[in-house]
Amino acid sequence: MSTQTINPADVFADEIVTKAVVREVTVPGLDGKVALITIDNGFDHTKPSTFGPAGLQSLAEAIDQAIASKPAAIAVTGKPFIFAVGADLSGVPAVTSRDLALEIAKAGHDTFGKLIETDIPTFAFVNGAVLGGGLELALACDYRTLSTSTPMVGFPEVFLGLVPGWGGTQLLPRLIGADKAVTVIIENAMNQNKTLKAPQAKELGIVDEIFDSADFLESSLAWLADVVNGKAKVNRPQVDTGEAWDDAIARGKQIADSRSHGAATGAYRALELIDLARTASIGEGFAAENEALADLLMSDPLRASLYAFDLVNKRAKRPVGAPDKSLARKVTKVGIVGAGLMASQLALLFVRKLEVPVVMTDLDQDRADKGVAYVIAELDKLLQKKRISPDKHNRLKGLISGQVGYEAFSDADFVIEAVFEELSLKKQIFGAIEEQVSEECVFATNTSSLSITEMAADLKHPERLVGFHFFNPVAVLPLLEIIKGEMTDDATLATAFGTGKKLGKSSVLVKDSPGFVVNRLLTRFLGTVIGAVDEGADFVVADTSLDSLGLPMSPMVLLQLVGPAVALHTAETMHEAFPERFGVSKNMTAFVEAGKQAVYQWDEQGQQTIDPEVQALWEQGSAQLSGDEVKQRALEALAEEIAMMLDEGVVAGPQDIDLCMILGAGWPFWNGGITPYLDREGISEKINGKRFLPQGAASVPA
């Protein structure tokens, strides 16, 4: 089917069209011209080129024009810093029929296939970021060069609930082998959408040569001439289609199972297609990709992923309720109270991102020095990995220091505490610091559940205190809950949002309420599961009851990660605030008093089993609850709690609940956020009598 049969106005009315322009280039030493196709959407690098129906049509016409000119070679490149980052998904929510979805799927193959079918040598000069359909365009060419400055190479499709369906699942494994293809298509996508740098892409065999960005086009054209003239040979290793292919598919399934427990439909469909590439012809493989794309484009997981993607890439960048950024104060020095693990992680983040002096304080110099040593050791690791230059390494090391006493904060603009969750202790600390700093110094607390308003009550300037709640590990989880106390002023709040942005975090404005967002929901969720075990549910049955959601870890593993003592303290805090919904398990209290850190242990055979001491101390009832019953209880509890949080105005809307759970708790993209999931399962209406979101907001329209 021709790409010209698609009318962009039907569903892609807002498409930013990536246009393809052909020009003939003369290359020294080459008989004949090179037809150079440049793809460009007319914007700078901050708005990367993508392919919608009109963009594909423009590219198809350019390829036809290039072929008709009978050049010595055809090359495709992109605008400055960008090759292409995939399909334009903006119109997907309006695709309401599988026939149209199939037509869109075929359009990519019809266009890229022109490069595969021609006898003229084809080259992709990948001069910048290349993702998804952009990488598939490059794979459709015979040869590929890559700029050394390319920031990302990869396939994000599985992360979004799709497959690389414009040739990726067929061309990549044929080129580099199934195991490497599984790494790029499955493993990286399911590992927080990890991408490759230029040297990694070259090492994997995805590209043939890498050239310096300064003279990338000239070098690529010179290499093209050598290839066409036979002076340069491109040797590609033979792909093992035997046992190694089987092992690769098995590894991919293991990754998908461990990350999603069967929930990531795109991952399993991609594995089927990679396996098919071993025996199918290109035509058969592309036809299978078309069918897979059509199915997945009409699936709830994709619509849910696009909803989540929109939250993370749009709403998170424009936080609802944030004050005018012009009110933010400049931060030229940061003080950190504490030198433990969390405080040390914060110090590393602040010194790396803000590049200003950061001073840590603790009860004695040995503790302060230990915190500084942690930061320096982490900077050393970054240097070893060549993620920072020697000059920057030395500069950052010079910015971190540790002292005893709050006099060290006298010229700080921003002071954050990361000490034990005890309200009186935090109040005492801020009261003492206030005597040492200027009236405009912002105070931030990393509390996970305590009241900001109460913490600020005795300060001379309570308006300077703001909640600044990070999630562990600090370097990995992007969420920052910014909590406004009753007295917090706009200048403090604007400084908090501005600092959060510079730290590379996605900030959400949260009302000062117990547990804020993530901890309140996780405590309700974990409390429900533990309550089921108290009643008599088998530990393993209860712990695996939510596997189908594809959460990053089970409840009991989450308990171990958080720390039983911390989890118990949070449960007690929430019980004080909402005793009718948050209980404190007597068994959890006994568990903590016994010094236990985990429910599970590993036996001599390496098998995970319930610790017999935990089983013995846990006094269970006689109820026989199934996994489905535990799951239903947990989801209903979450639906109830979210509705109450929205009624209380904890956040601006359900989208912020979803954003917090995706970025702070690892809620999977393919579930689209917790509120649309509860809507799709009918739990929202069952518990609250209404949906959280409009029909079709994160699902296929009815």
Side-chain angles (χ1 to χ4, degrees):
M1 182 179 296
S2 169
T3 56
Q4 295 184 13
T5 62
I6 297 179
N7 181 2
D10 288 343
V11 291
F12 286 83
D14 297 327
E15 177 185 354
I16 297 174
V17 179
T18 296
K19 295 182 179 179
V21 177
V22 186
R23 62 189 175 102
E24 292 188 345
V25 177
T26 300
V27 180
L30 182 66
D31 292 333
K33 300 292 184 68
V34 173
L36 182 63
I37 301 172
T38 302
I39 48 179
D40 187 344
N41 66 359
F43 291 85
D44 66 16
H45 67 279
T46 61
K47 193 180 287 289
S49 301
T50 57
F51 294 118
L56 287 173
Q57 183 171 322
S58 177
L59 179 58
E61 292 171 355
I63 295 171
D64 287 341
Q65 179 185 341
I67 292 172
S69 69
K70 298 182 180 179
I74 296 172
V76 184
T77 194
K79 67 183 183 180
F81 310 111
I82 301 290
F83 186 72
V85 296
D88 176 1
L89 299 176
S90 63
V92 169
V95 177
T96 57
S97 77
R98 190 181 184 282
D99 287 344
L100 182 55
L102 184 61
E103 193 173 350
I104 292 169
K106 289 179 178 179
H109 283 130
D110 288 347
T111 300
F112 299 169
K114 294 175 182 292
L115 293 168
I116 295 173
E117 293 165 6
T118 182
D119 294 329
I120 300 169
T122 55
F123 293 75
F125 296 161
V126 182
N127 62 306
V130 59
L131 299 172
L135 183 53
E136 287 169 308
L137 169 60
L139 290 170
C141 295
D142 299 320
Y143 307 99
R144 285 157 293 282
T145 64
L146 181 64
S147 170
T148 53
S149 64
T150 298
M152 56 185 72
V153 178
F155 281 124
E157 283 84 351
V158 164
F159 182 70
L160 294 171
L162 277 173
V163 298
W166 283 347
T169 68
Q170 302 304 296
L171 298 174
L172 190 63
R174 284 174 163 89
L175 177 68
I176 64 174
D179 191 64
K180 292 177 181 178
V182 163
T183 296
V184 178
I185 294 173
I186 307 294
E187 186 174 15
N188 286 357
M190 300 190 79
N191 184 19
Q192 299 295 318
N193 205 16
K194 181 180 178 182
T195 56
L196 305 169
K197 301 294 186 184
Q200 295 170 306
K202 174 67 164 64
E203 184 179 352
L204 286 171
I206 297 174
V207 298
D208 301 307
E209 293 290 344
I210 54 176
F211 296 121
D212 189 81
S213 58
D215 54 359
F216 175 72
L217 183 58
E218 293 82 355
S219 297
S220 294
L221 286 168
W223 181 75
L224 174 153
D226 286 345
V227 171
V228 173
N229 288 332
K231 294 180 181 178
K233 300 292 184 184
V234 177
N235 297 313
R236 292 178 178 146
Q238 185 175 355
V239 170
D240 186 341
T241 58
E243 186 177 346
W245 202 288
D246 293 329
D247 292 344
I249 299 302
R251 186 173 75 88
K253 186 176 185 304
Q254 185 178 32
I255 292 167
D257 288 345
S258 66
R259 300 283 169 82
S260 77
H261 303 284
T265 53
Y268 296 101
R269 199 68 180 267
L271 283 169
E272 291 175 7
L273 291 166
I274 293 171
D275 200 20
L276 179 67
R278 171 166 38 179
T279 56
S281 68
I282 284 291
E284 291 168 340
F286 285 1
E289 284 185 336
N290 287 337
E291 296 298 327
L293 271 182
D295 290 341
L296 294 170
L297 283 169
M298 295 304 296
S299 70
D300 281 341
L302 173 65
R303 306 307 173 102
S305 293
L306 294 178
Y307 167 80
F309 188 79
D310 189 69
L311 290 180
V312 170
N313 287 279
K314 294 182 181 178
R315 192 177 182 93
K317 294 178 180 178
R318 295 185 291 274
V320 177
D324 190 321
K325 61 184 180 182
S326 67
L327 298 173
R329 296 176 182 138
K330 191 173 182 180
V331 176
T332 61
K333 181 178 178 179
V334 174
I336 297 180
V337 183
L341 180 58
M342 175 57 82
S344 298
Q345 290 184 72
L346 294 180
L348 176 64
L349 179 69
F350 275 92
V351 79
R352 280 195 69 196
K353 298 294 187 179
L354 300 189
E355 297 189 25
V356 299
V358 174
V359 58
M360 306 173 73
T361 65
D362 214 315
L363 297 175
D364 55 59
Q365 193 62 47
D366 285 345
R367 297 187 192 192
D369 289 345
K370 186 177 179 181
V372 172
Y374 170 90
V375 176
I376 291 176
E378 291 300 310
L379 292 174
D380 290 345
K381 291 177 186 177
L382 293 171
L383 176 65
Q384 291 167 8
K385 295 177 182 178
K386 297 183 178 180
R387 293 177 61 186
I388 57 175
S389 68
D391 286 346
K392 187 169 185 178
H393 173 256
N394 289 330
R395 187 169 70 255
L396 295 182
K397 282 174 62 176
L399 292 173
I400 184 73
S401 62
Q403 299 182 36
V404 177
Y406 302 138
E407 297 85 359
F409 299 156
S410 61
D411 56 346
D413 309 294
F414 191 98
V415 175
I416 183 169
E417 66 77 25
V419 300
F420 184 70
E421 284 287 87
E422 176 60 51
L423 182 62
S424 60
L425 174 62
K426 294 179 188 284
K427 292 182 71 170
Q428 176 188 342
I429 287 171
F430 281 126
I433 294 173
E434 194 167 37
E435 300 300 320
Q436 304 294 334
V437 300
S438 71
E439 293 184 0
E440 292 193 342
C441 178
V442 170
F443 288 175
T445 170
N446 188 44
T447 181
S448 59
S449 59
L450 299 176
S451 170
I452 309 303
T453 301
E454 289 183 34
M455 203 179 296
D458 298 333
L459 292 174
K460 296 175 184 176
H461 295 281
E463 72 279 0
R464 71 163 87 209
L465 182 62
V466 64
F468 211 63
H469 182 217
F470 292 89
F471 291 80
N472 198 14
V474 171
V476 176
L477 293 176
L479 179 65
L480 180 61
E481 290 179 332
I482 294 182
I483 302 98
K484 183 181 187 299
E486 290 181 7
M487 297 294 290
T488 306
D489 65 16
D490 282 351
T492 297
L493 207 57
T495 305
F497 274 100
T499 303
K501 184 176 182 179
K502 290 178 181 176
L503 293 173
K505 298 300 179 181
S506 296
S507 302
V508 175
L509 181 62
V510 181
K511 180 182 177 181
D512 185 15
S513 60
F516 313 133
V517 177
V518 175
N519 280 352
R520 179 166 171 177
L521 290 176
L522 289 183
T523 302
R524 183 78 194 272
F525 162 79
L526 190 57
T528 303
V529 175
I530 290 173
V533 175
D534 288 346
E535 290 182 36
D538 178 81
F539 272 101
V540 175
V541 169
D543 195 36
T544 58
S545 63
L546 293 118
D547 280 359
S548 62
L549 297 182
L551 300 175
M553 63 192 72
S554 68
M556 298 305 170
V557 175
L558 174 64
L559 176 64
Q560 181 178 347
L561 177 69
V562 171
V566 173
L568 177 61
H569 179 76
T570 304
E572 290 169 343
T573 300
M574 298 306 299
H575 177 70
E576 290 178 11
F578 309 111
E580 69 283 0
R581 301 193 310 281
F582 289 82
V584 178
S585 166
K586 293 180 180 179
N587 287 316
M588 265 296 294
T589 303
F591 181 73
V592 172
E593 290 175 350
K596 289 295 180 182
Q597 296 299 313
V599 168
Y600 294 116
Q601 66 174 19
W602 299 93
D603 63 21
E604 294 178 356
Q605 287 73 43
Q607 299 296 314
Q608 182 176 273
T609 61
I610 303 297
D611 183 338
E613 293 182 8
V614 173
Q615 188 76 70
L617 69 81
W618 212 285
E619 298 180 1
Q620 292 183 273
S622 57
Q624 298 296 312
L625 298 173
S626 68
D628 286 343
E629 289 173 316
V630 176
K631 176 183 176 181
Q632 191 68 16
R633 283 190 185 188
L635 293 176
E636 289 179 0
L638 288 173
E640 179 186 40
E641 201 61 35
I642 291 169
M644 292 187 171
M645 291 167 70
L646 293 173
D647 288 344
E648 294 168 19
V650 174
V651 290
Q655 297 87 348
D656 290 320
I657 297 281
D658 295 327
L659 190 58
C660 285
M661 293 301 285
I662 290 167
L663 299 180
W667 184 269
F669 252 59
W670 50 80
N671 275 335
I674 191 166
T675 66
Y677 177 83
L678 294 170
D679 285 349
R680 289 197 306 274
E681 295 298 309
I683 296 171
S684 307
E685 291 183 86
K686 176 184 177 182
I687 299 302
N688 304 317
K690 60 181 180 180
R691 300 170 60 90
F692 288 114
L693 298 169
Q695 177 73 40
S699 60
V700 178

